[in-house]
Amino acid sequence: MATRWKKARVIASSGLVVGAVWGSSMALFTDTADSGTATFTSGTVDITATDASTSLSVADMAPGDAATAPITIGNAGTLDLRYAMTSAATGDAALRAALTVTVKTGVTTCSNAGFSADGTQIATGDLDTVAFGDSAAGAQSGDRSLAAGASEVLCVQVTLPTGTSGTAPQGKTASATFSFAAEQTKNN
């Protein structure tokens, strides 16, 4: 009988130890905390250009005539950008080749009379080829940069040079659209 009581005591003691461990592991305090909401907003690239369709259009051009007008390029985005310009011309090929387009920055008075007074030439070519920079990704030779919210004035002059002769460009019409392609400068 003594062995039975010993076994009973061992079983009871084991039960108390297991119960104590089980009971103590089930009682714990907890807490949580949030760090607050993190917000992520992507930036924007938004280039703007004033319309040159009325200010640069000329009827009845003769050799020696010029049309000069400003085109304001703006950065309406939130990221700094770099941009390039190309020209897409249509109409008579002889007139497109005869017209010379020159683009300058820093011209104090963007007019026929003021064009040659100052400024820095950044592009020249005929109506088909005038361009600056490169729209390929990354910084390219000739690209222009604008900070977010900034703008700059390009003074554009289109001339029919005095040396133009013959009948090929007479009575013809040509048109051009100047296109500006922009990309972010940050991480690029």
Side-chain angles (χ1 to χ4, degrees):
M1 262 235 227
T3 345
R4 270 187 180 168
W5 285 103
K6 276 186 183 179
K7 284 183 183 179
R9 273 190 263 159
V10 169
I11 291 172
S13 296
S14 296
L16 286 175
V17 170
V18 169
V21 170
W22 180 73
S24 67
S25 67
M26 293 306 290
L28 57 114
F29 296 117
T30 62
D31 190 16
T32 61
D34 292 332
S35 67
T37 302
T39 302
F40 305 94
T41 304
S42 59
T44 58
V45 172
D46 185 5
I47 191 167
T48 61
T50 56
D51 185 2
S53 64
T54 50
S55 56
L56 274 175
S57 295
V58 177
D60 297 325
M61 282 186 95
D65 281 348
T68 306
I71 298 176
T72 302
I73 306 300
N75 181 352
T78 60
L79 298 172
D80 293 353
L81 62 78
R82 77 174 64 85
Y83 71 97
M85 183 194 90
T86 57
S87 175
T90 60
D92 182 72
L95 183 56
R96 291 191 334 240
L99 292 171
T100 301
V101 181
T102 305
V103 182
K104 291 174 119 181
T105 59
V107 174
T108 304
T109 304
C110 188
S111 65
N112 286 346
F115 189 76
S116 61
D118 57 4
T120 302
Q121 180 178 306
I122 60 172
T124 192
D126 63 34
L127 212 53
D128 287 315
T129 64
V130 67
F132 60 80
D134 189 332
S135 61
Q140 310 294 327
S141 177
D143 286 350
R144 309 279 305 159
S145 295
L146 276 178
S151 65
E152 74 173 338
V153 176
L154 303 178
C155 190
V156 180
Q157 185 174 72
V158 181
T159 60
L160 185 56
T162 54
T164 304
S165 62
T167 60
Q170 288 186 48
K172 305 298 182 187
T173 300
S175 299
T177 300
F178 302 113
S179 297
F180 301 92
E183 66 184 358
Q184 71 191 44
T185 58
K186 185 178 183 179
N187 303 324
N188 179 17

